[in-house]
Amino acid sequence: MSQPRISAYASLANGNALPTRVIQGAKTLQARTSHYIAVDAVHDELAVPNPFAQAILFFRGGANGNEAPIRIIQGPKTLLNAPDNVAVDPVHREVFTASFPTDSILVFRGDASGDVEPVRILHGPNTKLDRPIRVEVDPMNNVLAVVTDHAILVFNRTDKGDAAPKWVISGPKTGVGTRFGTRDVRLFSVGKKIIAGAAIRGPGTTRSAERNEEDGEGRRGGQRFIGVWKYGDNGDIAPWAVLNATPITKIPGSRLALNPEGGDLVVGGDGQVSVYHLPEIFQQRD
Amino acid sequence: MPGRPDRARIQWSVVAAILLTVTCWMQTRHWSGAAVAQEANKTSERRPLVLDRAPARNIADPNPVFRAIVIDAEHGEVFMANDKESAGTSILVYPTQFPPTNRIMEPRRRIAGPKTDLGMVCGLALSVEHGEMYSVSGETGTLNVYPLDARGNVGPGRQLRGVIPRASAGVFLDVKNDELFITTEHVNRISVYPRTFQQDQEPLRYIQGPTTGLADPHGIYVDSETNEIFVSNHGNWRKTETGEGEVRGPDSLTRTSLGYNIPGRALPLAPSTGKFLPPSITVHSRTASGNAALLRMIQGPHTLLNLPDGLYRDPVSGPRS
């Protein structure tokens, strides 16, 4: 946290492991507050937002040390405003970012550079976008998922303008939404699953503060969980599967990464990363 | 014969039964028992499949990361802010004098725990005269005050929770004028409060706006003799409005710095203003207010500035011109 950096670890790293490489330094143009990273394995690139300079940075997949980005999306035409997240669609070569201040989703060409206009914008009252903080894309099923203040909204990948979401996961049975601590959403294309973390936490409460509040479902304040929903789930629906925060699971946060081949769910937060072997989530059909 | 199935019908029935069995087996062989039971329920009555199990691996470093440092020369103590969550965010207090060692030295005392509400503590300041320690956090919109000799899981004695923007990086106490100065990186701002602030105190004044030169400000030092404020800037810049970031409910100018859960006005889609500027130290008048132009700036390749954070001026050897 103290200095902006991207650390890479071996896939099987465990404990107080050293990173295999670190992307860090003034040339990298990272901000101290960058909350996301997207990996484009097809084109071997990393994408990182810089909210303070209103930019999306792209690095070589093998970048190391004080290495400059290979390209930057930034400028008046981009309409970027405090971008804090980025998703990459390597199949259709597009880049997505949810714009928290402007209630919109901006889509750029994946190889865009400099001061470029978005190729699509999702924005308007029918979209139900309310303080969106994360977007994730599934190029296989042409689906787009967005975390908002009190919901996960699912759109068609190519939706634009004032399009309504096709599914809305929201309500007390779901426990999702930024107000409950949801900070991430991931899509498992093959199994058609929506995976999101949540931590029931009162507005304005710090992670180190005492958590006494209780939500309507009887969860104590700060109780974290990772929920799994299915494509097509719509409304106030309990998750299909759940990984609760317990003294055994020790869920560190609600940032997520998927390793379907290994059957692993990776959860980050509170300065640590935990890997859970949950092959049930990654069944290819059910 | 009537009433006796012929051999061909029996054979087809057996084949159909085998096919049906194989099909069912192929459809369900990947399902766990719980999942099968769960699928039997309607979606609206769904009972989640509970997957609670220990992590297979965990990557974490239990050692602190030091973010801010401040010295109490009178009591021979140095205070360090640790904003590393995996090490438990804390303020660690060490003696200024200690024998040389190549071993990890335990702090003399530690302020940490849920009652402290430290957040990701980024900035520290002290008042020996008033026996107070001040902290700001990159996570919260508060300024916390603790007794100088605080220890363990103690709550702040006072806490500013007014309109102060969220996520501050640096704090400095101007002893002569009894004022606290705070930098907020998200909204390129310096806020000034009386040291004796009340919980919902409005700032005495603040410096913010496009001509201030502030660009992702972090460390801050106030020279009360020359009436100058020195601020280190990482260089991430965008145009900010005067008053932006203040927490004023739905009437707030922006949402970006309010925290995720707090409502604020949605902004229109508009041309982006963001730029990367070289890192800098900007110098401002101590009494400046609003969108006041900076007095001067230290910036450029000769400065060797690289993500500058902490800032201090030696009152003896630091030349003033």
Side-chain angles (χ1 to χ4, degrees):
Chain A
M1 168 62 184
S2 282
Q3 290 290 326
R5 70 191 322 199
I6 299 168
S7 300
Y9 294 89
S11 296
L12 295 177
N14 195 12
N16 191 3
L18 283 175
T20 53
R21 58 196 160 92
V22 172
I23 306 169
Q24 179 181 16
K27 287 182 186 172
T28 70
L29 300 177
Q30 297 173 79
R32 205 165 67 87
T33 302
S34 282
H35 289 131
Y36 219 69
I37 181 170
V39 178
D40 179 349
V42 174
H43 301 94
D44 195 22
E45 290 181 356
L46 308 174
V48 180
N50 180 324
F52 301 162
Q54 300 179 328
I56 299 174
L57 316 174
F58 295 86
F59 296 92
R60 289 189 310 120
N64 197 4
N66 189 13
E67 182 171 327
I70 52 176
R71 65 181 188 282
I72 301 169
I73 299 176
Q74 185 189 46
K77 292 179 186 171
T78 66
L79 308 180
L80 289 169
N81 189 339
D84 192 30
N85 64 99
V86 60
V88 173
D89 174 355
V91 177
H92 305 93
R93 202 78 213 266
E94 291 184 329
V95 176
F96 298 73
T97 186
S99 179
F100 179 82
T102 61
D103 285 344
S104 58
I105 306 297
L106 306 178
V107 188
F108 298 91
R109 284 172 47 96
D111 58 354
S113 183
D115 185 15
V116 294
E117 293 179 357
V119 292
R120 290 192 304 282
I121 299 174
L122 197 54
H123 176 67
N126 288 328
T127 65
K128 301 185 190 300
L129 289 168
D130 179 10
R131 289 165 272 173
I133 65 154
R134 272 320 160 256
V135 60
E136 176 69 339
V137 60
D138 170 1
M140 185 183 295
N141 298 291
N142 288 313
V143 161
L144 194 70
V146 183
V147 176
T148 70
D149 180 65
H150 53 277
I152 294 174
L153 308 177
V154 182
F155 298 88
N156 295 309
R157 180 183 61 81
T158 56
D159 279 349
K160 60 182 178 181
D162 192 14
K166 58 196 290 188
W167 310 316
V168 178
I169 300 172
S170 179
K173 290 180 185 172
T174 69
V176 298
T178 316
R179 66 174 58 201
F180 298 118
T182 304
R183 296 290 182 267
D184 204 355
V185 61
R186 294 288 179 179
L187 301 173
F188 173 44
S189 302
V190 178
K192 298 184 177 179
K193 304 259 178 37
I194 301 165
I195 305 167
I200 308 300
R201 189 168 64 195
T205 309
T206 65
R207 277 163 276 200
S208 60
E210 284 185 307
R211 296 153 176 164
N212 295 316
E213 68 275 20
E214 188 172 288
D215 76 330
E217 294 293 289
R219 296 184 181 95
R220 299 297 299 176
Q223 181 176 332
R224 291 168 166 157
F225 68 95
I226 309 295
V228 183
W229 286 265
K230 294 182 175 181
Y231 281 19
D233 282 353
N234 193 15
D236 185 14
I237 295 174
W240 166 78
V242 65
L243 172 67
N244 292 299
T246 71
I248 300 295
T249 63
K250 296 179 180 171
I251 296 174
S254 60
R255 317 277 178 185
L256 304 172
L258 310 183
N259 175 16
E261 293 78 15
D264 291 337
L265 175 68
V266 185
V267 184
D270 287 0
Q272 52 188 304
V273 175
S274 289
V275 182
Y276 298 88
H277 187 58
L278 304 171
E280 297 93 331
I281 296 177
F282 301 104
Q283 295 166 22
Q284 297 198 357
R285 58 183 202 197
D286 51 31
Chain B
M1 283 177 66
R4 266 183 87 182
D6 61 34
R7 178 173 290 179
R9 287 181 64 186
I10 292 172
Q11 284 176 336
W12 277 113
S13 296
V14 169
V15 170
I18 291 170
L19 282 172
L20 186 63
T21 304
V22 169
T23 303
C24 289
W25 177 77
M26 289 180 70
Q27 289 289 328
T28 60
R29 66 195 171 116
H30 294 292
W31 291 1
S32 68
V36 174
Q38 182 194 76
E39 288 305 309
N41 295 330
K42 292 179 182 176
T43 305
S44 60
E45 300 163 357
R46 182 186 276 168
R47 293 170 58 185
L49 173 65
V50 177
L51 302 173
D52 297 354
R53 67 193 62 156
R57 299 189 297 284
N58 174 266
I59 305 170
D61 181 352
N63 298 302
V65 167
F66 296 131
R67 174 85 210 142
I69 182 169
V70 63
I71 291 178
D72 174 0
E74 191 169 313
H75 298 100
E77 291 188 326
V78 55
F79 293 68
M80 296 198 187
N82 160 38
D83 72 347
K84 191 170 177 186
E85 293 175 290
S86 59
T89 58
S90 57
I91 297 169
L92 306 174
V93 187
Y94 297 87
T96 54
Q97 303 299 320
F98 51 87
T101 177
N102 60 358
R103 305 187 68 174
I104 293 174
M105 193 172 78
E106 286 296 315
R108 179 179 282 176
R109 63 183 191 280
R110 182 191 313 259
I111 303 161
K115 288 182 181 170
T116 62
D117 200 16
L118 279 172
M120 301 176 80
V121 55
C122 286
L124 291 177
L126 301 179
S127 169
V128 175
E129 180 185 356
H130 297 96
E132 291 180 332
M133 177 178 54
Y134 314 91
S135 78
V136 293
S137 159
E139 180 188 359
T140 66
T142 64
L143 167 59
N144 294 351
V145 185
Y146 304 89
L148 204 52
D149 58 355
R151 176 189 296 267
N153 184 15
V154 295
R158 283 189 295 141
Q159 190 173 53
L160 177 61
R161 299 187 71 95
V163 302
I164 182 173
R166 176 178 168 271
S168 294
V171 58
F172 187 89
L173 175 65
D174 174 0
V175 174
K176 180 180 175 183
N177 296 290
D178 212 22
E179 291 177 336
L180 284 159
F181 291 71
I182 298 169
T183 57
T184 305
E185 55 202 278
H186 295 61
V187 288
N188 299 334
R189 169 166 161 145
I190 302 167
S191 305
V192 187
Y193 293 90
R195 182 191 56 77
T196 55
F197 65 81
Q198 300 300 309
Q199 178 177 321
D200 55 354
Q201 179 89 43
E202 290 276 340
L204 295 172
R205 61 190 180 278
Y206 59 87
I207 303 170
Q208 185 181 35
T211 65
T212 63
L214 294 167
D216 197 358
H218 278 72
I220 184 165
Y221 176 86
V222 179
D223 187 332
S224 56
E225 299 304 317
T226 61
N227 283 321
E228 289 178 331
I229 307 167
F230 296 78
V231 175
S232 60
N233 297 273
H234 282 195
N236 300 300
W237 186 88
R238 68 180 174 86
K239 184 180 178 183
T240 49
E241 302 292 332
T242 305
E244 185 177 332
E246 292 183 345
V247 181
R248 297 188 186 276
D251 295 328
S252 302
L253 284 178
T254 64
R255 300 167 164 185
T256 51
S257 312
L258 303 178
Y260 292 132
N261 308 309
I262 304 170
R265 287 196 312 203
L267 297 180
L269 284 163
S272 188
T273 59
K275 290 179 186 174
F276 292 107
L277 303 176
S280 66
I281 296 171
T282 51
V283 185
H284 312 260
S285 166
R286 186 185 65 80
T287 57
S289 181
N291 186 22
L294 72 169
L295 299 176
R296 62 188 185 278
M297 179 187 288
I298 302 168
Q299 185 185 54
H302 297 308
T303 67
L304 303 181
L305 289 170
N306 181 353
L307 298 168
D309 276 358
L311 194 66
Y312 187 76
R313 184 176 195 175
D314 185 335
V316 177
S317 62
R320 292 213 161 95
S321 60

